[in-house]
Amino acid sequence: MKLISVNVGLPSEIVWKDQVVETGIFKEPVAGRVKVGRLNIDGDRQADLTVHGGADKAIYVYPSEHYEFWRGELPQVDLPWAAFGENLTTEGLLEDQVNIGDRFRIGTIEVMVTQPRMPCYKLAAKFARDDIIKRFLASRRSGFYLAILQEGEIGVGDEVIQISRDANNVTVTDIVRLHVEKRKDFELMKRAVQVEALPKGWRTHFLDQLTARD
């Protein structure tokens, strides 16, 4: 498991559906080693902190393995690394194999997996197509967010070393499934609410569904 690309970007304004939108989704790969703080990689910022960024969404990871799929789905679209707004493009970290709460060391930082990425209209704005949101969710290729447990530095080629695996065995893909699929797996949902690394909003959402079921 390793880093393929490290990508950063500052918020910029674009026009989408006749409205000016500020977004930090446009990122570019950077060379050399980069400092990572509690909330950001150096040189990276989020535009709307009410739904992006923060301790639970400090870094967005997207597997490089998914790019082949998207190049087949979107043959007319240029898809360089960071095309999906990710901070880290990785190799060997797939959503159906990574648990919420898993911890990793990358370079000199330590991180923890917190949640999948749920796409918003800014992904549609970046690709200039409304259907990308539905297709992104349907693909189950969500990527995932990391919280920073220890600050430090990272760089392309760094090995991603697993420090610990969350014992609840709830994967990133499991959370996407619980969110998207109409037929709910309530046993999985019961496990999900036990995962301390999963942000409160997600756990409350699942608890409400479990309560309504009872």
Side-chain angles (χ1 to χ4, degrees):
M1 299 183 291
K2 65 180 181 180
L3 289 189
I4 300 298
S5 185
V6 178
N7 318 300
V8 301
L10 298 177
S12 58
E13 291 185 345
I14 62 171
V15 176
W16 172 241
K17 295 187 175 181
D18 298 323
Q19 293 188 343
V20 176
V21 175
E22 187 178 26
T23 177
I25 199 171
F26 292 91
K27 302 188 188 300
E28 296 287 342
V30 293
R33 304 200 65 74
V34 185
K35 292 182 179 179
V36 180
R38 288 289 179 184
L39 298 178
N40 293 101
I41 298 175
D42 194 24
D44 190 69
R45 294 291 183 274
Q46 297 83 25
D48 184 355
L49 295 177
T50 63
V51 291
H52 300 289
D56 292 327
K57 296 180 178 180
I59 290 179
Y60 175 45
V61 174
Y62 203 67
S64 62
E65 292 88 341
H66 295 339
Y67 274 79
E68 182 177 358
F69 169 82
W70 287 113
R71 288 182 179 121
E73 288 286 302
L74 305 169
Q76 306 303 318
V77 180
D78 185 29
L79 294 174
W81 301 139
F84 295 92
E86 74 268 19
N87 296 113
L88 305 182
T89 315
T90 58
E91 180 181 283
L93 288 169
L94 296 176
E95 295 91 339
D96 61 353
Q97 299 169 12
V98 173
N99 285 347
I100 304 296
D102 283 0
R103 299 186 178 202
F104 297 90
R105 180 177 296 110
I106 311 171
T108 59
I109 72 171
E110 291 186 10
V111 297
M112 180 174 66
V113 179
T114 59
Q115 60 191 304
R117 185 251 193 103
M118 292 290 105
C120 70
Y121 74 95
K122 291 182 178 179
L123 184 66
K126 185 178 190 299
F127 282 85
R129 53 192 304 160
D130 286 311
D131 68 335
I132 192 66
I133 296 176
K134 185 176 182 179
R135 292 171 71 172
F136 190 84
L137 281 172
S139 76
R140 301 295 190 268
R141 293 166 171 81
S142 64
F144 51 88
Y145 287 105
L146 303 175
I148 308 301
L149 305 179
Q150 178 177 303
E151 299 176 336
E153 292 184 346
I154 57 174
V156 172
D158 280 352
E159 188 176 1
V160 180
I161 301 168
Q162 187 156 16
I163 298 172
S164 65
R165 184 164 178 82
D166 190 86
N168 294 286
N169 288 319
V170 177
T171 67
V172 174
T173 298
D174 286 335
I175 299 300
V176 177
R177 283 179 44 230
L178 289 175
H179 178 72
V180 172
E181 294 181 2
K182 292 182 179 180
R183 185 175 181 179
K184 301 301 182 184
D185 183 340
F186 290 104
E187 291 306 312
L188 174 59
M189 202 174 287
K190 288 177 182 177
R191 296 208 328 265
V193 299
Q194 301 301 316
V195 181
E196 292 185 5
L198 188 66
K200 183 179 179 180
W202 279 106
R203 285 184 283 142
T204 299
H205 175 63
F206 294 145
L207 280 169
D208 288 346
Q209 293 186 58
L210 288 168
T211 300
R213 180 202 182 205
D214 297 335

